[in-house]
Amino acid sequence: MTLAISERLGAIAAYCPTGARVADIGSDHALLAAYLLESGAASFVVAGEVNEGPFRAACRQLSPMVDKGRASVRKGDGLAVLNPGEVDVVCIAGMGGQLIVSILERGHAILADVQRLILQPNVGEELVRRWLLQNGWQLRSETILKEDQVLYEILVAEPGDPYKPYEEQERSVEELLRLGPILWRQKPTLLIEKWRREQEKSRKILRQVACSQRPETVERAREIKQELNWIDEVIRCLQTGKP
Ligand code: SAM
């Protein structure tokens, strides 16, 4: 029987090409890796974990597959657990964008042989997109989904022309790094919800800043108002389908 996994992990799994050799870095209980093997999506998986508890959990989860030579569970930091040419796909999910970028940045040698990255930052998607843009990875897909009231974005990239998804758009690269160049083209309904949430966060900060007596808050309030104007315009475009 195939493992039941969350909608988020299922969406990540759907981006793994059939038969691929996949590394799941920061695998925790290795649910994704186990699902990829059981569903027949992956031919071989490496589950990488830096922390002892999740590493042991991953060992327990994958033990029958390790015995069959279809999985390997490794303890270590980021991509350092991999050998060059060993996997086709690297998944890094459920962490902040900054941590994902630091894992990618320290793994250039391993990434030279990787054909696809599937990244799901919990926050800081802009940082991940910027790293991909600056390191020769072309965004191929972007998805936004909601599970248990939390919004998640999944970014899929392959070696290629990193500027391609940013071309022929009316927004600047800087704006598209925030919005997601593919999400912006597609304008899914959840993107409006994401930017309404961002609007609410900025409004809250503005209310706090407005209560403060410190002189530097005048400039800060001006910046937040500018941000709110930008978000207003973004939401209007999302609602009307304008570029
Ligand atoms: N990837 C799973 C998911 O999306 O459900 C688990 C996400 S869990 C919140 C993040 C996991 O990444 C933790 O188990 C943590 O120990 C691991 N982790 C954090 N930094 C890491 C690193 N530098 N290398 C490998 N694993 C790391």
Side-chain angles (χ1 to χ4, degrees), residues 8-9 25-28 48-51 54 76-78 93-95 99 103:
R8 175 182 64 88
L9 289 179
I25 302 300
S27 64
D28 200 357
E49 248 303 333
V50 77
N51 288 310
D77 181 14
M95 307 175 196
L99 180 53
I103 289 174

Side-chain angles (χ1 to χ4, degrees), residues 6-26:
S6 66
E7 191 185 336
R8 175 182 64 88
L9 289 179
I12 292 168
Y15 283 115
C16 290
T18 308
R21 300 166 302 160
V22 183
D24 182 21
I25 302 300

Side-chain angles (χ1 to χ4, degrees), residues 171 179 184 187 191-200 203 228-242:
R171 300 262 161 190
L179 298 164
W184 187 250
K187 298 190 173 46
L191 201 58
I192 302 182
E193 183 162 343
K194 172 183 171 162
W195 285 100
R196 284 216 175 104
R197 290 183 185 197
E198 293 299 320
Q199 187 178 45
E200 212 26 69
R203 280 182 181 149
L228 277 166
N229 286 340
W230 182 78
I231 297 177
D232 273 347
E233 196 256 334
V234 158
I235 292 175
R236 267 200 308 279
C237 288
L238 286 167
Q239 285 168 332
T240 57
K242 279 194 193 148

Side-chain angles (χ1 to χ4, degrees), residues 139-157:
L139 271 172
R140 294 287 184 170
S141 292
E142 292 184 304
T143 301
I144 184 163
L145 63 95
K146 182 159 84 169
E147 189 170 54
D148 299 333
Q149 296 309 311
V150 181
L151 294 174
Y152 297 103
E153 288 178 38
I154 301 170
L155 313 182
V156 181

